[in-house]
């Protein structure tokens, strides 16, 4: 399964991830010790991505 490292933004295979963390019911995967350390230092910074990736489901814009 392809997943995204929330710290550096890199796409990685979950089976090959260096490490993973669970935060508020979601699982995050990391490519390196450096990224895990950053996440551990401040999980809220990375564990709650902004909603700009959400697609518009209304389709009512003209
Ligand atoms: Zn990374």
């Amino acid at each position: 399964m392809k997943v995204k490292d929330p710290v550096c933004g890199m796409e990685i295979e979950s089976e090959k991830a260096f490490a993973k963390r669970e935060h508020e019911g979601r699982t995050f995967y990391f490519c390196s010790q450096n990224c895990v350390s950053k996440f551990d230092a401040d999980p809220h910074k990375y564990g709650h991505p902004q909603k700009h990736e959400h697609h518009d489901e209304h389709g009512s814009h003209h």
Side-chain angles (χ1 to χ4, degrees), residues 4 6 9 26 45-46 48-57:
K4 196 171 185 178
R26 297 175 63 196
K45 180 177 178 181
Y46 302 105
H48 304 277
Q50 292 172 3
K51 292 178 179 174
H52 66 257
E53 288 184 17
H54 184 74
H55 291 276
D56 180 19
E57 290 165 359

Side-chain angles (χ1 to χ4, degrees), residues 3-21 28-41 46:
V3 293
K4 196 171 185 178
D5 180 329
V7 176
C8 67
M10 198 170 88
E11 285 200 335
I12 53 178
E13 289 289 336
S14 57
E15 313 93 79
K16 296 177 184 171
F18 177 84
K20 69 176 181 177
R21 289 288 186 274
F28 299 92
Y29 297 86
F30 304 92
C31 68
S32 67
Q33 178 62 59
N34 184 45
C35 288
V36 180
S37 297
K38 284 186 177 178
F39 185 84
D40 285 344
Y46 302 105

